[in-house]
Amino acid sequence: MRPWRENPATARWWHLVTALIPLASLVVQFVLVLDGDNVLVHDGDEPPSTALRVANFFSYFTVQSNLLVIAGALLLALDPWRDGRFFRVLRLTGLIGISVTGVVYATLLAPIVDLEGIAMATNIGFHYLSPLLYVVGWLLFGPWPRFDGRTMALCLVWPVAWLIYTLIRGEIVDWYPYPFIDVTELGYGRTLLNSAGVTVLLLGVGWLFAAGDRRLGDRAGSVDVSRTR
């Protein structure tokens, strides 16, 4: 039984909440960036210009992943049965991106990040609640099947483009969003090796979602057929 077919209102509410939590986190963090209080967008004692802080903020893989989640979840809140090539790529890219965001943060970044107050709350929204709600929403409500080989290939465009952008921009402004791709500290050899590791993680997570999409789609289809007999 597919809950999103039996009770689309439940799916709509789930997707809406999934969108609102990272949206609220994004807005609050953006306000902190504008005020110069967000320590994540600069390394020195004095914050850089407002324009540079804003550019740094939106250069985070985490922020971009959450933007994909917000867009995908809002579209599903409007139509839980949504389909189309653009939506498929958006949905799978968001699932892969936010899953990798959660895994990388929990394993590599959480031990070295010290936050408190409102910054800690928004951090939980970005790195824990958003991945959990988006992935569980996909498991519970689908829609599936939606992911094919072409969709998988197109999903790689964004993370590859992000990495290229990050390395080029880092050379220009001498700032990198994550320590494991900080060329200044690690050099290009180690940075590229770390990037290759993240790429393998992205491919592995994408394969899991594609395989799960087929299996859940087949199971849902067989249930639908049995219900008609």
Side-chain angles (χ1 to χ4, degrees), residues 25-165:
S25 300
L26 181 72
V27 170
V28 173
Q29 283 280 14
F30 186 66
V31 171
L32 293 178
V33 168
L34 293 179
D35 288 342
D37 292 331
N38 190 318
V39 297
L40 299 179
V41 297
H42 61 89
D43 296 325
D45 294 330
E46 295 295 328
S49 67
T50 299
L52 188 56
R53 294 200 306 272
V54 170
N56 287 352
F57 178 66
F58 285 105
S59 294
Y60 275 98
F61 190 88
T62 293
V63 172
Q64 295 182 20
S65 294
N66 276 275
L67 287 171
L68 292 172
V69 167
I70 293 168
L74 285 177
L75 288 175
L76 286 170
L78 295 172
D79 179 10
W81 297 274
R82 188 174 296 277
D83 198 1
R85 178 62 61 187
F86 172 79
F87 169 77
R88 291 184 179 204
V89 174
L90 175 67
R91 178 67 157 159
L92 182 55
T93 305
L95 284 166
I96 295 172
I98 203 64
S99 298
V100 170
T101 291
V103 170
V104 171
Y105 182 81
T107 56
L108 298 180
L109 301 177
I112 62 175
V113 174
D114 184 19
L115 300 174
E116 59 184 19
I118 191 64
M120 179 185 295
T122 58
N123 182 63
I124 291 173
F126 273 148
H127 294 108
Y128 295 103
L129 294 180
S130 182
L132 180 65
L133 289 170
Y134 206 52
V135 173
V136 171
W138 171 75
L139 288 170
L140 291 178
F141 306 111
W144 352 264
R146 289 293 187 270
F147 308 146
D148 53 22
R150 184 181 178 190
T151 301
M152 275 289 297
L154 290 173
C155 285
L156 296 177
V157 173
W158 165 61
V160 171
W162 175 84
L163 178 61
I164 294 173
Y165 157 81

Side-chain angles (χ1 to χ4, degrees), residues 220-229:
S222 64
V223 170
D224 285 349
V225 170
S226 66
R227 285 169 60 86
T228 63
R229 294 177 179 174

Side-chain angles (χ1 to χ4, degrees), residues 5-22:
R5 280 199 182 277
E6 299 301 323
N7 187 3
T10 303
R12 292 178 191 275
W13 277 108
W14 183 283
H15 297 313
L16 182 60
V17 171
T18 300
L20 291 179
I21 287 178

